[in-house]
Amino acid sequence: MNDNLEQMLIQDENLTDRSPFLKLRRWQWWLLVAINILFLIAGQAAAVLLGRFYYDQGGNSTWMATFVQTAGFPILCIPLIFLHPYQKLETSTSSTYPSIKIVALLYFVLGLLVAGDNMLYSVGLLYLSASTYSLICATQLAFNAVFSYLLNSQKLTALILNSVVILSLSAALIAVNEDSDGPSGVSKGKYLVGFICTLGASALYSLLLSLMQLSFQKVLRKETYNVVLEMQIYTSLVATCVSTAGLFGSGEWKGLQDEMKGFKSGRVSYVLTLVWAAVSWQVCAVGVVGLIFAVSSLFSNVISTLSLAITPLAALLVFHDEMNGVKVIAMLLALCGFCSYIYQNYLDDTKARKSESQSHTDDVIQESHHV
């Protein structure tokens, strides 16, 4: 009996119920989180740089910039196909699954919100400089802290608040370090439009993260990575259809050929810029949704803001931008804020594991006494 008890405790100790994908070992769960962080940071940095490159080289279609943010969703079908044979092995928190109508309605509503959010970001990036854009985007942490508290019962500990403040300060330092005016030729009125759109997009993005997490917990109630990919695919499909309708409905499609001809770096560069921007956004999306499901929407937003601080480093390597002391300090602050939040999640993970292990030990001992 003691040998069986010891074996059950060892098995429970090697597994973590916090994993949203499979019954992973603790180090596997952290590795999965690290991979999603890499996807989010690399994907977002590349997508923002390519978006700025598109506008700088002569692109001016906001609907096209919106379209490429979700048009690459078929790429996600590849991992979905590979994961399909293991779908039956994955665990679920509920034996019931919502009807197709409810799931379709959920994906449709989220897809509409994604399309609107992408459009707002595209307009903001068109009328604002990169520095001002980054500063306003940093406000999404404040919005997300509120939405996570209201919708996801997220506790705002001292370490989380410290992380939010430091990361926001980091993005602010990068913003004020450069010219905070709009690009050349942008009027005050358009600058105000860009400011409002970016602020609204930051709030809507934060709401989306919390709604996605709430959907996993209350509606879908099925903890598999297939569900994560399916949500991303179907919401992106809806958003892509909306942006395509907007592209043709607004008449911007008529000027795409002239836009390609007038692209400063050439037609091939024009096509490659849009294609790789679409791929980068999907890589980022996988990281975002993965972190929402594995940890929380607030954590996903913290990593997203960390990427805003790292983007200047990517610009230094790609576009040979100047790297001064203020940018170095801003990135160091971002790393400190990131470590603060990671440490809070480590404490939460350790506490949860101890509580689960103790509860399981008590149950096993009680069961052994009955035997």
Side-chain angles (χ1 to χ4, degrees), residues 10-34 294 342-357:
I10 291 175
Q11 290 177 353
D12 182 73
E13 209 169 17
N14 288 333
L15 297 174
T16 173
D17 291 334
R18 288 192 61 187
S19 171
F21 307 106
L22 295 170
K23 289 284 187 177
L24 298 177
R25 298 173 186 267
R26 190 178 186 184
W27 69 268
Q28 291 174 324
W29 182 85
W30 280 103
L31 177 62
L32 188 61
V33 171
I342 284 290
Y343 183 63
Q344 178 63 59
N345 276 268
Y346 171 77
L347 294 178
D348 292 342
D349 177 68
T350 302
K351 182 179 179 180
R353 285 174 57 82
K354 287 182 178 180
S355 177
E356 292 170 3
S357 177

Coordinates of all heavy atoms in Angstrom, one line a residue, residues 10-34 294 342-357:
I10 N 4.2 10.5 -6.8 CA 5.3 10.9 -7.7 C 4.7 11.2 -9.1 O 5.1 12.2 -9.7 CB 6.3 9.7 -7.9 CG1 7.1 9.5 -6.6 CG2 7.2 9.9 -9.1 CD1 8.0 8.3 -6.6
Q11 N 3.7 10.4 -9.5 CA 3.0 10.7 -10.8 C 2.3 12.1 -10.7 O 2.4 12.9 -11.7 CB 2.0 9.6 -11.1 CG 2.7 8.3 -11.5 CD 1.7 7.2 -11.7 OE1 0.5 7.4 -11.5 NE2 2.1 6.1 -12.1
D12 N 1.7 12.4 -9.6 CA 1.0 13.7 -9.5 C 2.0 14.8 -9.4 O 1.7 15.9 -9.9 CB 0.1 13.7 -8.2 CG -0.6 15.0 -8.1 OD1 -1.6 15.2 -8.8 OD2 -0.2 15.8 -7.2
E13 N 3.2 14.6 -8.9 CA 4.2 15.6 -8.7 C 4.8 16.0 -10.1 O 5.2 17.1 -10.3 CB 5.3 15.1 -7.8 CG 5.9 16.2 -7.0 CD 6.8 15.7 -5.9 OE1 7.1 14.5 -6.0 OE2 7.1 16.4 -5.0
N14 N 4.8 15.0 -11.0 CA 5.4 15.3 -12.3 C 4.5 15.9 -13.3 O 4.9 16.2 -14.4 CB 6.0 14.0 -12.9 CG 7.2 13.5 -12.1 OD1 7.9 14.3 -11.6 ND2 7.4 12.1 -12.1
L15 N 3.2 16.1 -12.9 CA 2.3 16.7 -13.8 C 1.7 17.9 -13.3 O 1.7 18.2 -12.1 CB 1.1 15.7 -14.1 CG 1.5 14.3 -14.7 CD1 0.2 13.5 -14.7 CD2 2.0 14.5 -16.1
T16 N 1.3 18.8 -14.2 CA 0.7 20.1 -13.7 C -0.7 20.3 -14.4 O -0.8 20.2 -15.6 CB 1.6 21.3 -14.1 OG1 0.9 22.5 -13.8 CG2 2.0 21.3 -15.5
D17 N -1.7 20.5 -13.6 CA -3.0 20.8 -14.1 C -3.1 22.2 -14.7 O -4.2 22.5 -15.2 CB -4.0 20.6 -13.0 CG -4.2 19.1 -12.6 OD1 -3.8 18.3 -13.5 OD2 -4.5 18.9 -11.5
R18 N -2.1 23.0 -14.6 CA -2.2 24.3 -15.1 C -2.0 24.3 -16.6 O -2.3 25.3 -17.3 CB -1.1 25.2 -14.5 CG -1.4 25.6 -13.1 CD -0.5 26.7 -12.6 NE -0.7 27.9 -13.4 CZ 0.1 29.0 -13.4 NH1 1.1 29.0 -12.6 NH2 -0.2 30.0 -14.1
S19 N -1.5 23.2 -17.1 CA -1.3 23.1 -18.6 C -2.6 23.2 -19.3 O -3.4 22.4 -19.1 CB -0.5 21.9 -19.0 OG -0.5 21.7 -20.4
P20 N -2.7 24.0 -20.3 CA -4.0 24.1 -21.1 C -4.0 23.2 -22.2 O -5.0 23.1 -22.9 CB -4.0 25.5 -21.5 CG -2.6 25.9 -21.7 CD -1.8 25.1 -20.7
F21 N -2.9 22.5 -22.5 CA -2.8 21.7 -23.7 C -2.8 20.2 -23.4 O -3.7 19.5 -23.9 CB -1.5 22.1 -24.5 CG -1.4 23.5 -24.8 CD1 -0.5 24.3 -24.1 CD2 -2.2 24.1 -25.7 CE1 -0.4 25.7 -24.3 CE2 -2.2 25.5 -26.0 CZ -1.3 26.3 -25.3
L22 N -1.9 19.8 -22.7 CA -1.8 18.4 -22.3 C -1.4 18.3 -20.8 O -1.0 19.3 -20.2 CB -0.8 17.6 -23.2 CG -1.2 17.5 -24.7 CD1 0.0 16.9 -25.4 CD2 -2.4 16.6 -24.9
K23 N -1.4 17.1 -20.3 CA -0.8 16.9 -19.0 C 0.7 16.9 -19.1 O 1.4 15.9 -19.1 CB -1.3 15.6 -18.4 CG -2.7 15.5 -18.1 CD -3.0 16.2 -16.8 CE -4.4 16.1 -16.3 NZ -4.7 16.7 -15.0
L24 N 1.3 18.1 -19.1 CA 2.7 18.3 -19.3 C 3.4 18.3 -18.0 O 2.9 18.7 -16.9 CB 2.9 19.7 -20.0 CG 2.4 19.8 -21.4 CD1 2.7 21.2 -22.0 CD2 2.9 18.8 -22.4
R25 N 4.7 17.9 -18.0 CA 5.5 18.1 -16.9 C 5.8 19.6 -16.7 O 5.6 20.4 -17.6 CB 6.9 17.4 -17.1 CG 6.7 15.9 -17.3 CD 8.1 15.3 -17.6 NE 7.9 13.8 -17.9 CZ 8.0 12.9 -17.1 NH1 8.3 13.2 -15.8 NH2 7.8 11.6 -17.4
R26 N 6.3 20.0 -15.5 CA 6.4 21.4 -15.2 C 7.4 22.1 -16.2 O 7.1 23.2 -16.7 CB 6.9 21.5 -13.8 CG 6.9 23.0 -13.2 CD 7.3 23.0 -11.8 NE 7.2 24.3 -11.3 CZ 7.6 24.7 -10.0 NH1 8.2 23.8 -9.3 NH2 7.4 25.9 -9.6
W27 N 8.5 21.5 -16.4 CA 9.5 22.1 -17.3 C 9.0 22.2 -18.7 O 9.3 23.1 -19.5 CB 10.8 21.3 -17.3 CG 10.8 20.0 -18.0 CD1 10.6 18.8 -17.3 CD2 11.0 19.7 -19.3 NE1 10.6 17.7 -18.2 CE2 10.9 18.2 -19.5 CE3 11.3 20.4 -20.5 CZ2 11.0 17.6 -20.7 CZ3 11.4 19.8 -21.7 CH2 11.3 18.4 -21.8
Q28 N 8.1 21.2 -19.2 CA 7.5 21.3 -20.5 C 6.5 22.4 -20.6 O 6.4 23.1 -21.7 CB 6.8 19.9 -20.8 CG 7.8 18.8 -21.0 CD 7.0 17.5 -21.1 OE1 6.0 17.2 -20.5 NE2 7.6 16.6 -22.0
W29 N 5.8 22.7 -19.5 CA 4.9 23.8 -19.5 C 5.6 25.1 -19.7 O 5.2 26.0 -20.5 CB 4.0 23.8 -18.2 CG 3.0 24.9 -18.2 CD1 1.8 24.9 -18.7 CD2 3.2 26.2 -17.6 NE1 1.1 26.0 -18.4 CE2 1.9 26.9 -17.7 CE3 4.2 26.8 -16.9 CZ2 1.7 28.2 -17.3 CZ3 4.0 28.1 -16.4 CH2 2.8 28.8 -16.6
W30 N 6.7 25.3 -18.9 CA 7.5 26.5 -19.0 C 8.1 26.7 -20.4 O 8.2 27.8 -20.9 CB 8.6 26.6 -17.9 CG 8.0 27.0 -16.6 CD1 7.7 26.2 -15.5 CD2 7.7 28.3 -16.2 NE1 7.2 27.0 -14.5 CE2 7.2 28.3 -14.9 CE3 7.8 29.6 -16.8 CZ2 6.8 29.4 -14.2 CZ3 7.3 30.7 -16.1 CH2 6.9 30.6 -14.8
L31 N 8.6 25.5 -21.0 CA 9.1 25.6 -22.3 C 8.1 26.0 -23.4 O 8.3 26.8 -24.3 CB 9.7 24.2 -22.7 CG 10.2 24.1 -24.1 CD1 11.4 25.0 -24.3 CD2 10.6 22.6 -24.4
L32 N 6.9 25.5 -23.2 CA 5.8 25.9 -24.1 C 5.4 27.4 -24.0 O 5.2 28.1 -25.0 CB 4.5 25.1 -23.7 CG 3.3 25.2 -24.7 CD1 3.7 24.8 -26.1 CD2 2.1 24.4 -24.2
V33 N 5.4 27.9 -22.7 CA 5.2 29.3 -22.5 C 6.4 30.2 -23.2 O 6.1 31.2 -23.8 CB 5.2 29.7 -21.0 CG1 5.2 31.2 -20.8 CG2 3.9 29.0 -20.4
A34 N 7.6 29.7 -23.0 CA 8.7 30.4 -23.6 C 8.6 30.4 -25.2 O 8.9 31.5 -25.8 CB 10.0 29.7 -23.2
A294 N -2.5 29.6 -21.9 CA -1.6 28.9 -21.0 C -1.5 29.7 -19.7 O -1.3 29.1 -18.6 CB -0.2 28.8 -21.6
I342 N 7.1 37.5 -14.5 CA 7.4 36.1 -14.6 C 7.6 35.5 -13.2 O 7.2 34.4 -12.9 CB 8.8 35.9 -15.4 CG1 8.5 36.0 -16.9 CG2 9.4 34.6 -15.1 CD1 7.7 34.9 -17.5
Y343 N 8.2 36.3 -12.3 CA 8.4 35.9 -10.9 C 7.0 35.7 -10.2 O 6.9 34.7 -9.4 CB 9.3 36.9 -10.1 CG 9.6 36.4 -8.7 CD1 10.3 35.3 -8.5 CD2 9.1 37.2 -7.6 CE1 10.6 34.9 -7.2 CE2 9.4 36.8 -6.3 CZ 10.1 35.6 -6.1 OH 10.4 35.2 -4.8
Q344 N 6.1 36.6 -10.5 CA 4.8 36.5 -9.9 C 4.1 35.2 -10.4 O 3.5 34.5 -9.6 CB 3.9 37.7 -10.3 CG 2.5 37.6 -9.7 CD 2.4 37.6 -8.2 OE1 2.9 38.5 -7.5 NE2 1.9 36.5 -7.6
N345 N 4.2 34.9 -11.6 CA 3.7 33.6 -12.2 C 4.4 32.4 -11.6 O 3.7 31.4 -11.4 CB 3.8 33.6 -13.7 CG 2.6 34.3 -14.3 OD1 1.6 33.8 -14.7 ND2 2.8 35.6 -14.5
Y346 N 5.7 32.5 -11.3 CA 6.4 31.4 -10.7 C 5.9 31.2 -9.3 O 5.6 30.0 -8.8 CB 7.9 31.7 -10.6 CG 8.7 30.8 -9.8 CD1 9.0 29.5 -10.3 CD2 9.1 31.1 -8.5 CE1 9.7 28.6 -9.5 CE2 9.8 30.2 -7.7 CZ 10.1 29.0 -8.3 OH 10.9 28.1 -7.5
L347 N 5.6 32.3 -8.5 CA 5.1 32.1 -7.2 C 3.7 31.5 -7.2 O 3.3 30.6 -6.4 CB 5.0 33.5 -6.5 CG 6.4 34.2 -6.2 CD1 6.1 35.5 -5.5 CD2 7.2 33.3 -5.3
D348 N 2.8 32.0 -8.2 CA 1.5 31.4 -8.3 C 1.5 29.9 -8.6 O 0.8 29.1 -8.1 CB 0.7 32.2 -9.4 CG 0.4 33.6 -8.9 OD1 0.5 33.9 -7.7 OD2 0.1 34.4 -9.8
D349 N 2.4 29.6 -9.5 CA 2.6 28.2 -10.0 C 3.0 27.3 -8.8 O 2.5 26.2 -8.6 CB 3.6 28.1 -11.1 CG 3.8 26.7 -11.5 OD1 2.9 26.0 -12.1 OD2 4.9 26.1 -11.3
T350 N 4.0 27.8 -8.0 CA 4.5 27.0 -6.9 C 3.4 26.8 -5.8 O 3.2 25.7 -5.3 CB 5.7 27.7 -6.3 OG1 6.7 27.9 -7.3 CG2 6.3 26.9 -5.1
K351 N 2.7 27.9 -5.6 CA 1.6 27.8 -4.6 C 0.5 26.9 -5.0 O 0.0 26.1 -4.2 CB 1.0 29.2 -4.3 CG 0.0 29.3 -3.3 CD -0.5 30.7 -3.1 CE -1.6 30.8 -2.0 NZ -2.1 32.2 -1.8
A352 N 0.1 26.9 -6.3 CA -0.9 26.1 -6.8 C -0.5 24.6 -6.7 O -1.3 23.7 -6.4 CB -1.3 26.5 -8.2
R353 N 0.7 24.3 -7.1 CA 1.2 23.0 -7.1 C 1.3 22.4 -5.7 O 0.9 21.2 -5.5 CB 2.6 22.9 -7.7 CG 2.6 23.0 -9.3 CD 4.0 23.1 -9.8 NE 4.8 21.9 -9.4 CZ 4.7 20.8 -10.1 NH1 3.9 20.6 -11.1 NH2 5.5 19.7 -9.7
K354 N 1.7 23.2 -4.7 CA 1.7 22.7 -3.3 C 0.3 22.4 -2.8 O 0.1 21.4 -2.1 CB 2.4 23.8 -2.5 CG 3.9 23.9 -2.6 CD 4.5 24.9 -1.7 CE 6.0 25.0 -1.9 NZ 6.6 26.0 -0.9
S355 N -0.6 23.3 -3.2 CA -2.0 23.1 -2.7 C -2.6 21.9 -3.3 O -3.2 21.1 -2.7 CB -2.8 24.3 -3.1 OG -4.2 24.2 -2.8
E356 N -2.4 21.7 -4.7 CA -2.9 20.5 -5.3 C -2.2 19.2 -4.8 O -2.9 18.2 -4.6 CB -2.7 20.6 -6.8 CG -3.5 21.7 -7.5 CD -3.1 22.0 -8.9 OE1 -2.2 21.3 -9.4 OE2 -3.7 22.9 -9.5
S357 N -0.9 19.3 -4.6 CA -0.2 18.1 -4.1 C -0.7 17.7 -2.7 O -0.9 16.5 -2.4 CB 1.3 18.4 -4.1 OG 2.0 17.3 -3.5

